[in-house]
Amino acid sequence: MATSTYVDLDEKGKSVNESRYRGMVGSLLYLTASRSDILLSVCLCARYQDNPKKSHLTGVKRITKYPKGTTNVGFWYPKGTSLNLTGFSDSDFAKCKLDRKSTSGTCHLLGSSLVSWN
């Protein structure tokens, strides 16, 4: 999703089929195990599984097109690198405009390779 995209409840939008939307989000959540670059966008869309609107479905469709154009992106663990474990974290306190909840994330690197994220 574009960095300028803001996902909200869209209460006045047209409702879409919940089961189709949930299936698409579920497939994308499965894909996040190997594609951490879509994790945040998928989790934003997963918040609206209860009552998805057309704008939410458009966002999910956009996310599904992204991996096709970025097949060269993924994990790479080169042989012979150092085994220093490094961790990073980031937080934005009450930054969500919808419900004022905080969003945070962490990542851990083993040498120069990503091994864990949240």
Side-chain angles (χ1 to χ4, degrees):
M1 294 175 65
T3 55
S4 61
T5 302
Y6 177 69
V7 181
D8 63 354
L9 284 175
D10 192 17
E11 294 175 355
K12 297 178 182 175
K14 182 181 176 188
S15 294
V16 295
N17 185 341
E18 288 179 22
S19 114
R20 178 178 178 213
Y21 184 81
R22 289 177 183 165
M24 292 173 77
V25 169
S27 297
L28 287 172
L29 283 170
Y30 179 77
L31 185 61
T32 60
S34 61
R35 294 296 301 262
S36 62
D37 52 337
I38 64 171
L39 186 62
L40 178 65
S41 298
V42 173
C43 288
L44 284 174
C45 292
R47 292 180 182 179
Y48 305 103
Q49 293 184 65
D50 183 40
N51 189 15
K53 304 294 182 184
K54 188 172 181 179
S55 62
H56 303 133
L57 184 62
T58 302
V60 168
K61 286 180 179 180
R62 184 175 178 141
I63 297 168
T64 57
K65 292 177 186 176
Y66 173 77
K68 185 177 181 182
T70 56
T71 55
N72 60 338
V73 176
F75 298 122
W76 182 55
Y77 301 105
K79 189 168 140 180
T81 60
S82 68
L83 296 178
N84 297 330
L85 183 63
T86 310
F88 298 96
S89 67
D90 186 25
S91 300
D92 61 349
F93 299 103
K95 194 80 173 211
C96 181
K97 295 177 183 176
L98 185 63
D99 52 11
R100 307 303 295 168
K101 290 184 179 177
S102 299
T103 303
S104 62
T106 63
C107 70
H108 298 89
L109 303 169
L110 186 62
S112 62
S113 303
L114 182 69
V115 292
S116 171
W117 69 92
N118 179 13

